[in-house]
């Protein structure tokens, strides 16, 4: 068995959960925050059998889009003003960041 942790953009999270239910995957959605953008995103925890991993990754890939996002400039606050960029910078936020972990034991009581 594996535990898949997938960090996705909030805009994709409802569509992804609908597709997971349709394909009979069980998932838990956590409200999370990206360390870099400090903006909300959604983390899915999905426990599944090894032979269903490829199908699961395909569903995640098909339902999560990569998007450009603007990062507001952060003022130097007493730091080095030479490196200060006074205009917003665009970053590419991935469709999904996925970790696949082995599960040692799974119980439901
Ligand atoms: P954030 O940390 O808010 O990052 C959003 C996007 O900002 C990233 O997209 C990347 O394009 C950019 N970025 C992140 N750190 C950067 C840095 N130090 N310098 C320049 N640009 C940077 P993604 O890589 O697609 O990541 C999307 C979200 O997935 C992340 O949101 C974070 O919540 C999660 N994530 C990504 N890599 C992770 C990792 N190795 N461990 C845990 N969570 C991760």
């Amino acid at each position: 068995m594996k535990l898949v942790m997938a960090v996705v953009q909030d805009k994709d999270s409802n569509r992804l959960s609908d597709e997971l239910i349709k394909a009979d995957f069980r998932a838990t959605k956590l409200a999370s925050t990206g360390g870099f953008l400090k903006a909300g995103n959604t983390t899915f925890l999905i426990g599944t059998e090894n032979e269903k991993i490829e199908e699961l990754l395909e569903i995640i890939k098909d339902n999560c889009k990569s998007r450009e996002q603007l990062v507001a400039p952060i003022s130097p606050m007493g730091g080095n003003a030479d490196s200060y960029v006074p205009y917003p910078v665009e970053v590419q936020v991935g469709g999904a960041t996925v970790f696949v972990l082995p599960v040692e034991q799974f119980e439901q009581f």
Side-chain angles (χ1 to χ4, degrees):
M1 187 178 202
K2 298 271 196 267
L3 177 68
V4 174
M5 291 175 62
V7 184
V8 311
Q9 294 180 49
D10 287 344
K11 284 178 186 157
D12 296 321
S13 69
N14 280 343
R15 190 178 50 236
L16 179 59
S17 29
D18 290 348
E19 292 305 316
L20 290 173
I21 290 166
K22 269 195 223 160
D24 206 23
F25 284 101
R26 304 203 173 180
T28 298
K29 271 166 77 174
L30 307 175
S32 44
T33 305
F36 185 69
L37 293 179
K38 299 178 182 68
N41 52 27
T42 303
T43 301
F44 283 82
L45 300 182
I46 309 156
T48 192
E49 297 310 321
N50 294 1
E51 43 295 356
K52 290 188 80 184
I53 286 292
E54 288 312 315
E55 183 193 352
L56 174 58
L57 295 180
E58 221 32 62
I59 292 172
I60 296 171
K61 199 156 74 175
D62 291 348
N63 288 284
C64 299
K65 292 196 192 92
S66 174
R67 296 181 183 88
E68 301 285 336
Q69 201 154 321
L70 285 177
V71 186
I74 303 158
S75 74
M77 288 284 284
N80 184 0
D82 294 343
S83 59
Y84 176 54
V85 184
Y87 45 83
V89 176
E90 215 167 44
V91 292
Q92 177 91 8
V93 184
T97 299
V98 182
F99 303 88
V100 181
L101 312 168
V103 173
E104 201 168 295
Q105 196 171 344
F106 171 70
E107 306 285 354
Q108 283 184 305
F109 299 109

